[in-house]
Each structure stands twice: as C-alpha cells, then as structure tokens.
C-alpha cells in the first residue's frame, strides 16, 4: 500500500540526516516530525512494508529491516546498509527491542556512519533489569515496594503462602533473550489476591520469561519523570500526570497533562540516573502514594510512547538527543509548559473497551466506571493536542488504526487461539 505525500517544508541541508527506527510507534511519529522541523532529512525504518511514521509528510524516505528480536544480526546489517546508501545519520532507536541490538553492535553502525546516544552496553542492560534497579533504588534511600524475585525452576509454593496479598507479578525484563540470540517481549504485569491466583498467574508468566518480579501492590496513582542525561548530568527534564491509561490497571497513557516535576520525584529520579551515569533519554516510573510519597517501580532507558506531549509542551527531546549525538553536548532544553494536554485517540478507544470489559481477575484497586468513562471520552476538551492526529499531516493517524486492526489485533487473537489449542 503506497501513498504519495507532499514534502514538508523545512530548511534541511542534505548532509543533516536522521534515521528513526520502530516506525509504528507513537514516539517515532513525534521524533520524525520534530527532527524534520529542525531541518533534518528523516528516514524511517520498520519491520513492516509501511509504518505510520513513514507515512508522515515529515518523512523523506523509509526502509524495511528484519525483526530485531528474531534476527538481530540481519537488523543491524540492514541499518548499516541504509547508512552506506544514504550517507551518515543520527540513528534513534525507539524501543527496547531495537535499542539492545544497536547498542551491542554499535561499532558496526558507527563504522557505517551512524551516530547514536547510548550509555555503555553493560549500563544499558543494568537499567533494563527491574530487580537490580529496585535494589539500587532501595540502597539510595528511595521508597520501593516489598519485592521478591522468582527465578526459573524455583519452588514458589512456600512464597505463595507468605505473600502480603494483593501482589503484582511482572517479568523482570521487558525483552527476554532467546536461544538464537534474539529477544521476545515478555508482556504485561498481572495481579493476584490469593495463593491460588498467584500460582496460576506465575505459571502463565513463566511461559514468557525466566525471572518474575513479585511486588506488593502500592495504592496510589502512576507518575513519571523524563530526562535527557549526558553521562549523569541533566540536560532536559519533563513530567506529566496521567489522566487515562490504555489499560486502567496500569500501562502507557492515553490522555495526559504536562506538570512541573515535584521535588520528591525529581530528586529520586536524578539519584538513580546519576548513580548509573546514564547517557541518553530515560523515563523513571513511580507509584505515588496518597501521602505524596513516590514509590519506585522501574526505569525505561529509551524513548516513551507519550513523547509527543513533551514536544508539544516545548521540551524537544528528539532534537536534544540528535544534537548530543552529533556534537557531544547540548544546551539545556527549555522547561516544559504545564497544563498542556495530549491524547492518543486509539489508546483512548482501547481504554474505553477495557473499562467496559471490567476489571481483570485479581485486580485489587478501584476500577473506572463505564458510564463516567464513556462521557469523559465523548466530551471534547478544547486545546488538547494529539500523539498522531494532525490536519496538516493526517496519515500517521490513519496508519495507527490500520496497523492496530490490520496487524496487531489479528496477531494477538491468533496467539490466544494458539495458546488455547496447546
């Protein structure tokens, strides 16, 4: 499927080029638009024949590469060939799946003319290890949930009888290494309110990952801090409050509003990022207790799904990353404007479907009401920005819905049917 697009007007010079990976992610759309406005000639890469970022008027070109999970070597070689074909470029991976192989094989990409903003590979893997970062946070005096790590082969029967229910179970890493050297996503967290639910849920997660993190359920709301760091020194920061998540039980946000970072969340986040000498962008996630105490959950050492809000609010993380990768440093980014709202249309629709389906088994907190959520989503809020939709650049929004209903949903349903037949 091919669409002709009018070129976006920019002051780009032919020698200023950027390659955006993971073209069907929201953050890829935000980065493509940001860098094109700044004068970069943007090429978008994806595992599929088209992508929503590749359909943007801001994208000058696009290409396809093998899956970084199933064929990491082929993935890296394809990026190197694109660099050799089109010339040197800043390379921006957008997901953990693409970040890990380009980090591991950074010398090959750099030799082909790619510039990237990444920490040392061992630091990257350390940050992606949830249990290790939880222990680091605890050692730094940051509040963390009570945590247990269940490794492959461990007998969890005794633990099941001692846990302070309700608990959250989640894979220790978001991408599980495979025997072929690739990786596979480990999926979303789950919940248990008793020993039987714990045993059943643990068995399901063990089929996806070798190490499971079990944590006490922290009552409160989700909160995050976003930063651009240069070897542990701050170059840009941002925060938002979540209004609606795609999954009401906890996930990426569908509607959110920019806020000024609270001192407690800011201090805890910078303690962690400075302790590991972080180099690049990162999101630090917390659960905010009713008394205002931030409880650390995890660090995502990559761009995040709601990146468009930060850009709309004036904190241009993609441009900061590109300049830091090119020049070795960058002036501190502008402070974000509070009160800016940004909505992911498809994510909000998925939120509504989740609400009408009801709370999942074992979920211990209050769940949104069906009628209240429906009314909140149908009543427009003037001035709200959007992750993908733009009147001057409509195709990323179209691509978002086509990708979900034409690709993601059929794959998810096929996976469930296969699991049911096994």
């Amino acid at each position: 499927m091919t669409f002709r697009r009018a070129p976006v007007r920019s002051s780009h010079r032919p020698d200023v080029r950027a390659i955006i990976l993971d073209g069907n992610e929201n953050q890829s759309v935000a980065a493509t638009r940001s860098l094109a406005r700044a004068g970069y000639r943007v090429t978008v890469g994806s595992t599929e024949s088209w992508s929503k970022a590749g359909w943007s008027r801001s994208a000058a070109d696009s290409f396809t590469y093998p899956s970084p999970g199933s064929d990491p070597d082929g993935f890296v070689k394809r990026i190197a060939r694109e660099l050799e074909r089109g010339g040197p470029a800043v390379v921006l991976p957008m997901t953990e799946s693409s970040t890990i192989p380009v980090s591991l094989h950074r010398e090959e990409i750099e030799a082909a003319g790619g510039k990237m903003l990444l920490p040392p590979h061992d630091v990257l893997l350390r940050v992606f290890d949830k249990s290790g970062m939880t222990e680091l946070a605890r050692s730094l005096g940051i509040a963390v949930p009570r945590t247990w790590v269940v490794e492959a082969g461990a007998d969890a029967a005794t633990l099941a009888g001692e846990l302070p229910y309700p608990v959250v179970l989640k894979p220790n890493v978001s991408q599980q290494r495979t025997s072929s050297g690739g990786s596979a996503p480990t999926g979303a967290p789950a919940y248990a309110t008793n020993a039987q639910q714990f045993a059943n849920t643990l068995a399901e997660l063990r089929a996806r990952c070798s190490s499971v993190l079990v944590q006490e359920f922290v009552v409160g709301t989700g909160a995050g801090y976003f930063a651009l760091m240069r070897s542990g020194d701050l170059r840009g920061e941002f925060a938002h409050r979540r209004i609606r998540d795609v999954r009401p039980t906890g996930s990426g946000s569908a509607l959110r509003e920019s806020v000024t970072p609270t001192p407690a969340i800011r201090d805890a986040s910078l303690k962690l990022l400075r302790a590991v000498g972080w180099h690049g962008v990162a999101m630090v996630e917390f659960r905010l207790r009713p008394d205002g105490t931030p409880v650390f959950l995890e660090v995502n050492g990559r761009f995040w799904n709601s990146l468009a809000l930060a850009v709309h609010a004036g904190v241009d993380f993609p441009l900061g990353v590109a300049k830091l990768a090119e020049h070795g440093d960058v002036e501190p980014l502008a402070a974000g404007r509070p009160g800016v709202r940004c909505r992911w249309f498809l994510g909000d629709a998925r939120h509504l479907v989740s609400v009408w389906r009801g709370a999942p088994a074992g979920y211990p907190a209050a769940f949104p009401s069906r009628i209240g959520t429906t009314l909140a989503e149908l009543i427009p809020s003037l001035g709200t920005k959007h992750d993908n939709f733009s009147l001057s650049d409509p195709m990323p929004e179209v691509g978002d819905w086509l990708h979900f209903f034409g690709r993601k949903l059929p794959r998810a349903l096929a996976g469930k049917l296969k699991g049911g037949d096994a």
Side-chain angles (χ1 to χ4, degrees):
M1 193 179 297
T2 304
F3 288 84
R4 301 184 88 178
R5 54 175 178 264
V8 71
R9 298 189 179 203
S10 82
S11 57
H12 79 259
R13 305 190 315 274
D15 60 328
V16 181
R17 186 167 175 250
I19 293 178
I20 307 294
L21 305 179
D22 308 289
N24 272 309
E25 301 295 329
N26 286 2
Q27 56 266 43
S28 302
V29 175
T32 296
R33 289 169 170 167
S34 162
L35 294 183
R37 282 194 302 269
Y40 288 79
R41 179 178 175 83
V42 179
T43 297
V44 176
S46 173
T47 57
E48 295 164 311
S49 58
W50 56 264
S51 67
K52 58 189 179 187
W55 276 359
S56 170
R57 292 180 64 241
S58 298
D61 200 1
S62 63
F63 70 105
T64 305
Y65 49 67
S67 166
S70 59
D71 186 7
D73 291 338
F75 165 68
V76 170
K77 291 183 185 304
R78 181 65 185 90
I79 295 171
R81 287 201 305 273
E82 179 60 30
L83 287 163
E84 291 163 355
R85 181 197 69 82
V90 178
V91 179
L92 281 73
M94 293 285 151
T95 65
E96 189 169 327
S97 176
S98 62
T99 299
I100 291 175
V102 299
S103 172
L104 182 61
H105 300 282
R106 65 184 70 190
E107 292 83 3
E108 185 175 342
I109 292 175
E110 289 168 353
K115 295 181 179 180
M116 296 183 292
L117 186 68
L118 294 169
H121 191 65
D122 61 332
V123 174
L124 184 80
L125 296 182
R126 181 185 184 189
V127 163
F128 285 151
D129 183 314
K130 294 179 175 62
S131 62
M133 291 303 293
T134 300
E135 176 56 28
L136 175 61
R138 187 201 60 76
S139 72
L140 294 172
I142 299 167
V144 299
R146 292 178 63 190
T147 301
W148 298 261
V149 181
V150 184
E151 303 289 356
D155 181 7
T158 301
L159 177 61
E162 298 176 349
L163 290 172
Y165 297 100
V167 294
V168 184
L169 297 87
K170 58 186 178 183
N172 190 38
V173 292
S174 299
Q175 291 285 323
Q176 178 70 50
R177 301 293 291 174
T178 63
S179 58
S180 63
S183 64
T186 52
Y191 304 86
T193 56
N194 56 57
Q196 186 58 55
Q197 280 184 345
F198 172 77
N200 295 340
T201 303
L202 181 63
E204 293 174 6
L205 263 66
R206 277 177 159 171
R208 300 186 246 136
C209 59
S210 59
S211 179
V212 177
L213 213 63
V214 181
Q215 295 181 318
E216 65 172 322
F217 182 84
V218 179
V219 176
T221 57
Y225 176 83
F226 311 85
L228 172 62
M229 309 292 290
R230 179 184 181 273
S231 300
D233 293 330
L234 183 65
R235 291 295 182 270
E237 63 182 351
F238 181 72
H240 70 226
R241 71 177 184 93
R242 295 173 178 225
I243 300 173
R244 288 192 292 268
D245 284 349
V246 178
R247 292 190 302 272
T249 56
S251 68
S253 59
L255 178 67
R256 74 299 280 194
E257 182 178 66
S258 59
V259 297
T260 301
T262 66
I265 287 178
R266 184 179 190 271
D267 292 348
S269 300
L270 291 177
K271 271 187 182 180
L272 280 162
L273 297 175
R274 286 168 176 158
V276 298
W278 188 252
H279 191 62
V281 290
M283 173 188 182
V284 189
E285 291 193 66
F286 297 89
R287 193 81 172 170
L288 200 61
R289 285 178 173 152
D291 65 0
T293 301
V295 180
F296 171 77
L297 297 182
E298 63 184 66
V299 178
N300 292 312
R302 53 169 174 77
F303 281 107
W304 46 93
N305 192 63
S306 60
L307 177 63
L309 173 59
V311 177
H312 285 308
V315 188
D316 199 335
F317 283 106
L319 182 57
V321 166
K323 287 185 174 181
L324 194 47
E326 282 190 288
H327 307 298
D329 205 351
V330 65
E331 291 293 321
L333 305 185
R337 299 187 303 276
V340 179
R341 285 193 176 192
C342 191
R343 183 185 191 190
W344 178 19
F345 267 138
L346 176 58
D348 228 6
R350 290 168 59 186
H351 172 89
L352 184 60
V353 170
S354 294
V355 169
W356 276 92
R357 289 176 66 181
Y363 185 67
F367 206 70
S369 74
R370 293 180 172 92
I371 300 301
T373 299
T374 303
L375 292 175
E377 292 207 19
L378 291 178
I379 298 173
S381 177
L382 296 179
T384 298
K385 308 294 184 181
H386 300 281
D387 285 9
N388 297 309
F389 177 72
S390 168
L391 286 174
S392 62
D393 187 23
M395 290 311 299
E397 181 68 31
V398 175
D400 195 23
W401 290 82
L402 289 177
H403 176 67
F404 179 76
F405 284 105
R407 292 171 173 168
K408 291 186 72 173
L409 188 59
R411 288 173 190 164
L413 294 175
K416 286 186 177 181
L417 290 174
K418 184 178 179 181
D421 293 339

